Amino acid sequence: MYPPPESTIESYTVALAGNPNVGKSTVFNALTGMHQHTGNWAGKTVSTAAGICTISGVPIQLIDLPGTYSLRAQSAEETAARDFLCFSRPDAVLVVCDASTLERNLILLLQIQELGLPVFLCINLLDEAEQRGIALDFPLLSEQLHLPVVGVAARSGRGLPELQEQLLSFLRQPFVSLHAVPYPESIETALATITEQLPQLDFPPTPRWLALRFLEQDATLQMERLLPEEPISELEIPVLPKAADSIIAAVVQQAESIANAVTTIPESIRKREHRFDRFVLGKYTGIPLLCLLLLLILWITVVGANVPSALLQSGFAKLRTVLDGWLSGTPEWVQGLLLDGMYQVLTWVIAVMLPPMAIFFPLFTLLEDFGYLPRVAYQLDPCFRCAGTCGKQSLTMCMGLGCNAAGVTGCRIIDSPRERLIAMLTNVCIPCNGRFPAMITILTLFFAASLGWGSSLTAAIGILCLLLLGTGMTFLLSFLLSHTLLKGIPSSFTLELPPYRKPQIGKVLIRSVCDRTLFVLGRACIVAAPAGMMIWLLANGTLSNGQSILCQLAEWLQPVGAIFGLDGAILLAFLLGFPANEIVLPIVLMIYAASGTLTEQTDLSQIQTMLQANGWTMQTAVCMLLLMLFHFPCSTTCLTIRKETHSWKWTGVAMLLPTLCGLGLCALVHGVWSMFG
């Protein structure tokens, strides 16, 4: 028996544990009022979050542990969750389970019970289970597990008041551990032998749980912290073949037995979901469906971004006239630096970047909420295994479509340090949202301008082809890295395929706009403002021959650009566009126009005329697209890679790899085109 801790002021600490994708973070947000991002794929929560939940005036600190399938510590998430429970010793553990997948969720609950901690079970997602015809016998479940059970639907708030009331009552009562998993006779005999040698602690974990870890030969657990005064090396530990497998098999069998006793699932539901997954994940239908979904999202983005982008540019132009009046009394160089430099670049980035992101992110978040993204990882896992990595890398690629910096940060969900580093180094091969506008413009001008109403679809198909090329390059570079700089064996991983869920449109819009669109846009604006001032200085600073520094630099780079089927203005634009990919094409136009300010052409025909007047051909457009797809990451992504890897060396590799690929492909296309063109 472990009595509640004595304190003059009543307060408690409760750990929130559960499998990935059971709505644990949603329960945490509902109880604490915090807004931790929740996602419908495994491994979303990779760090702990803390918040205060006040029930009847009693403060309860909730610790949201990383989502984990077990306490066997085979991943960073499992290690973090297990170590917190062992060494921090919360007053109770609130285990959140999915009502639709109770059997799998109970494995973690049974392991936590064995620790000897007070456990309270919260069955979440009742609404989804009821829609699927799944019924649970809560009294029988509580009886079999010897713990309180409350059902909730956290997204709608159903059952939360009862959960709070019963949780506080549970915390105020003395706790007696009654449930124990029955193991095979050989395991039980070995446990008895080890337990006799261990002291009876006054706090969790229990001697039985410690004995299980000794039998499993768990080297990741710091036993000396739990048994500081015991000569661990002198313990007599029986050696049993495959003891770890026998232990987890017994836990799984117990979870299956309890779940089957309390759960009723209509057979028609199983068959329907199985048929749907056979189509979505089919050998001949899965990849084509993925390509069609991407094409649809890209087409909607291309078509929908034009009008709001034009409206933003028009609004910024009117605001510019107001600012001109305010700064009319200042020196010309101040007006130029602030308006022609900083303001012009900043507004261009916003007008060009915001509309596509505001369309793309919500559509992509809908797929995430629906439960489709984990199935993408499942489909691509064989390809990544052939390349020496794992399927989780596909999830980071999906995040990179919005922003490569976010994709690099998302690589934390990959357990293997080697595979995590490969994912970070290759993430930039997937074009981020900031590169889409320039790609769409070039595709429209040189490949779809004469198609009329079909130009948008052609541009979307072109973007899809570039995405497929980027994916292929990701596989190739991952393979090369796995067999050269980062050799190793691909790791196995557990990826849950969650049930299909009806997306919450309102929350999707809020999350995609606030958490993603505005966040990414804000980071781009922070670097675009000073970049605009620097570009203005280069464009307006003149040399002794009367030529601007910008044009002179482009002229010096002309011979180098010719090798790759480009020109000096394009190479210089990529270098100056390092702070933000959105400004590469505008810088090219500014150099061609020999203008002291960023060129803002809203008429595509005028842009096409200017490009063709400066020697652009179909070959130039192809090489420009290839270099736009494969070049060094933007400054924000580079800083993110440095932060995640703690190494300037690997940051340099991340910049060098795609750049060499892009320049190599451009040189190849230029050579072949010159030979046969």
Side-chain angles (χ1 to χ4, degrees), residues 352-413:
V352 171
M353 189 176 178
L354 180 58
M357 284 198 305
I359 298 172
F360 180 85
F361 276 143
L363 292 176
F364 210 76
T365 308
L366 284 175
L367 291 182
E368 173 190 331
D369 234 34
F370 182 62
Y372 182 69
L373 291 189
R375 288 163 172 84
V376 173
Y378 174 82
Q379 293 177 81
L380 297 181
D381 181 59
C383 300
F384 279 108
R385 289 188 64 82
C386 292
T389 59
C390 75
K392 281 187 179 180
Q393 187 172 342
S394 63
L395 297 178
T396 67
M397 291 166 56
C398 292
M399 298 172 71
L401 279 173
C403 174
N404 290 129
V408 170
T409 303
C411 293
R412 296 174 185 174
I413 67 173

Side-chain angles (χ1 to χ4, degrees), residues 635-656:
S635 59
T636 303
T637 304
C638 288
L639 291 175
T640 304
I641 295 173
R642 169 63 180 84
K643 179 182 177 182
E644 294 294 321
T645 62
H646 306 287
S647 169
W648 285 113
K649 180 188 77 171
W650 290 118
T651 305
V653 172
M655 297 179 67
L656 190 62

Side-chain angles (χ1 to χ4, degrees), residues 241-271:
K242 299 183 178 180
D245 293 340
S246 299
I247 291 171
I248 192 62
V251 175
V252 172
Q253 185 177 358
Q254 179 77 348
E256 181 181 357
S257 174
I258 295 174
N260 289 338
V262 303
T263 307
T264 303
I265 304 178
E267 188 62 28
S268 59
I269 297 295
R270 297 180 187 269
K271 292 182 179 179

Side-chain angles (χ1 to χ4, degrees), residues 528-549:
M533 291 190 286
M534 181 190 69
I535 294 170
W536 183 87
L537 290 172
L538 291 175
N540 289 272
T542 57
L543 301 173
S544 56
N545 59 3
Q547 195 174 30
S548 70
I549 299 175

Side-chain angles (χ1 to χ4, degrees), residues 289-520:
L289 177 63
L290 172 61
C291 293
L292 286 175
L293 285 174
L294 274 175
L295 179 61
L296 178 62
I297 291 175
L298 292 170
W299 178 73
I300 294 174
T301 302
V302 171
V303 173
N306 292 331
V307 174
S309 182
L311 291 175
L312 282 173
Q313 289 178 352
S314 175
F316 286 135
K318 294 178 180 178
L319 180 59
R320 169 66 187 267
T321 59
V322 176
L323 296 177
D324 282 334
W326 289 356
L327 297 177
S328 58
T330 59
E332 289 187 9
W333 69 268
V334 173
Q335 296 182 43
L337 188 66
L338 295 179
L339 297 180
D340 295 334
M342 183 178 70
Y343 179 82
Q344 195 75 359
V345 170
L346 194 60
T347 54
W348 178 282
V349 169
I350 295 174
V352 171
M353 189 176 178
L354 180 58
M357 284 198 305
I359 298 172
F360 180 85
F361 276 143
L363 292 176
F364 210 76
T365 308
L366 284 175
L367 291 182
E368 173 190 331
D369 234 34
F370 182 62
Y372 182 69
L373 291 189
R375 288 163 172 84
V376 173
Y378 174 82
Q379 293 177 81
L380 297 181
D381 181 59
C383 300
F384 279 108
R385 289 188 64 82
C386 292
T389 59
C390 75
K392 281 187 179 180
Q393 187 172 342
S394 63
L395 297 178
T396 67
M397 291 166 56
C398 292
M399 298 172 71
L401 279 173
C403 174
N404 290 129
V408 170
T409 303
C411 293
R412 296 174 185 174
I413 67 173
I414 301 176
D415 302 323
S416 166
R418 181 188 70 87
E419 294 171 357
R420 189 185 314 128
L421 182 56
I422 291 176
M424 284 189 276
L425 297 179
T426 58
N427 190 270
V428 74
C429 292
I430 299 299
C432 67
N433 207 275
R435 286 181 262 179
F436 282 180
M439 290 179 170
I440 293 171
T441 299
I442 295 171
L443 286 167
T444 302
L445 293 178
F446 289 89
F447 298 91
S450 61
L451 297 180
W453 63 269
S455 61
S456 298
L457 180 59
T458 304
I461 294 174
I463 294 292
L464 178 61
C465 292
L466 291 173
L467 284 176
L468 295 177
L469 179 60
T471 303
M473 185 62 72
T474 300
F475 290 142
L476 177 60
L477 291 180
S478 297
F479 178 83
L480 294 176
L481 288 170
S482 295
H483 291 79
T484 53
L485 297 177
L486 297 168
K487 292 182 179 179
I489 300 174
S491 64
S492 60
F493 74 100
T494 302
L495 181 67
E496 177 185 356
L497 295 183
Y500 295 100
R501 291 171 176 160
K502 181 181 178 181
Q504 295 179 295
I505 305 298
K507 290 186 177 180
V508 164
L509 290 175
I510 294 174
R511 189 169 77 235
S512 60
V513 172
C514 297
D515 291 357
R516 295 180 174 177
T517 303
L518 296 182
F519 176 71
V520 174

